[in-house]
Amino acid sequence: METLNRFLFLKTFQGLRHAHGFIFKGQSLAPGVKCYALARCFTSHFSQYMKVVFHKAAKANLTRNYRFLCTVTANRVCWNCGSSTELFFCSSCKVIQPPRDDINYFQILNCEEKFSLDTKKLQKRFVELQRYLHPDNFSQKSLKEQENSETQSALVNKAYRTLQKPLSRAIYMLELRGILLEEGTDATADPAILLEVMEVNESLAETRNQDEVYAIGQSVRDKLKDLTEQMNLSLNKGDLLTAKSLLVQMKYLSNIEEKVKKRITESW
């Protein structure tokens, strides 16, 4: 009985390490009593104990990350339990919710609604969201949860693709302010800008010199960088007309940049 009591004591959190050492070194838990026979019993207990420890740790980690995911409070109830919900999950039963129609991409990715963004932080947020929203995580859940996961994951993907690049980010920010960019050639575009774009396109189409292709690409990137800085200033001041004019130029130059990339790729 004394041996058993000492063994039970050593199995506590403070004594696990020492008990493990006693058993597998063939030492005794009581004078004159070897404990090889207890090794299998201890191993089983230790395994069960660690499962509980890891389960508690995982649960605590999920709770911390759940708080991270709950960035926007929703004025709606959970479809599963009727409690109030957060942006992605129910605050009570933690079941995934369908997307909301009254939030924008900046809110989804938990970033400030401005043109100048830290794209590294944006990517980090995107990866963290997809870690919890990806459909693979819900393959054993109900059909409703699987559907919600698919739509939420797709929405986060779209939000990230839109905000990741300056051109699509600018288009989206103007759309939020009620300004849409017309498809094709913008009738309000400055003729001088259209002429410049046409000349650059012609130069790119006619040249067979790879160095000239690289030079055109570098020139376009420099102009896009300058336009991006001007766009940031215009949106910060709320000058939407100037921002729209800059956006037209960015769109044309971005098209040329893609053509340059294609030419370079084809030459490899």
Side-chain angles (χ1 to χ4, degrees), residues 7-257:
F7 176 67
L8 291 175
F9 168 76
L10 287 171
K11 287 196 300 181
T12 62
F13 178 78
Q14 293 83 0
L16 274 172
R17 181 175 55 186
H18 303 292
H20 186 275
F22 276 130
I23 289 172
F24 291 100
K25 289 179 182 178
Q27 297 176 7
S28 64
L29 294 173
V33 180
K34 289 288 184 178
C35 56
Y36 287 114
L38 296 175
R40 183 161 37 183
C41 174
F42 177 82
T43 301
S44 175
H45 175 84
F46 185 78
S47 176
Q48 293 299 319
Y49 174 82
M50 292 309 297
K51 284 181 180 179
V52 172
V53 171
F54 285 126
H55 175 73
K56 289 182 178 180
K59 186 176 181 181
N61 185 57
L62 178 61
T63 300
R64 288 193 297 271
N65 285 288
Y66 169 73
R67 294 194 187 102
F68 163 78
L69 292 172
C70 300
T71 56
V72 179
T73 301
N75 296 319
R76 61 176 180 175
V77 297
C78 173
W79 61 269
N80 183 59
C81 71
S83 301
S84 62
T85 69
E86 303 291 348
L87 181 56
F88 298 107
F89 294 93
C90 172
S91 56
S92 179
C93 68
K94 307 300 186 289
V95 167
I96 190 168
Q97 301 297 304
R100 290 174 54 183
D101 298 325
D102 59 339
I103 60 171
N104 61 46
Y105 294 163
F106 292 94
Q107 291 171 302
I108 290 173
L109 291 168
N110 192 30
C111 56
E112 189 176 352
E113 189 174 323
K114 61 180 184 179
F115 182 70
S116 179
L117 291 180
D118 186 332
T119 54
K120 290 185 178 180
K121 288 184 178 180
L122 189 73
Q123 183 183 36
K124 181 180 179 181
R125 169 67 176 173
F126 167 71
V127 171
E128 289 172 333
L129 282 175
Q130 288 294 26
R131 186 180 301 155
Y132 293 96
L133 299 175
H134 196 277
D136 288 350
N137 298 328
F138 298 86
S139 59
Q140 302 302 317
K141 300 293 185 179
S142 67
L143 181 60
K144 178 69 173 177
E145 290 173 277
Q146 292 179 33
E147 291 173 351
N148 288 345
S149 170
E150 290 176 0
T151 52
Q152 287 278 28
S153 180
L155 182 60
V156 169
N157 274 329
K158 186 176 181 181
Y160 177 67
R161 288 197 305 270
T162 300
L163 300 185
Q164 183 185 24
K165 295 184 178 180
L167 178 61
S168 54
R169 190 188 314 144
I171 293 174
Y172 181 67
M173 290 188 70
L174 287 178
E175 287 178 351
L176 290 178
R177 291 155 178 76
I179 297 179
L180 302 179
L181 193 65
E182 294 82 356
E183 293 295 331
T185 302
D186 192 333
T188 63
D190 186 338
I193 294 174
L194 295 178
L195 179 61
E196 179 184 0
V197 169
M198 184 176 65
E199 290 175 349
V200 175
N201 268 316
E202 289 177 351
S203 297
L204 182 62
E206 292 172 357
T207 186
R208 294 294 179 268
N209 187 306
Q210 196 67 8
D211 290 337
E212 290 183 2
V213 173
Y214 280 110
I216 292 173
Q218 185 60 54
S219 175
V220 168
R221 285 191 294 274
D222 291 342
K223 291 178 181 178
L224 279 172
K225 181 180 179 180
D226 181 59
L227 289 171
T228 298
E229 293 173 355
Q230 293 182 54
M231 175 66 75
N232 186 45
L233 293 174
S234 297
L235 288 174
N236 286 341
K237 293 188 298 183
D239 187 353
L240 300 184
L241 290 180
T242 299
K244 183 179 180 181
S245 175
L246 294 169
L247 181 57
V248 171
Q249 298 178 58
M250 289 175 67
K251 183 180 179 181
Y252 288 136
L253 290 176
S254 293
N255 287 336
I256 296 176
E257 185 181 31

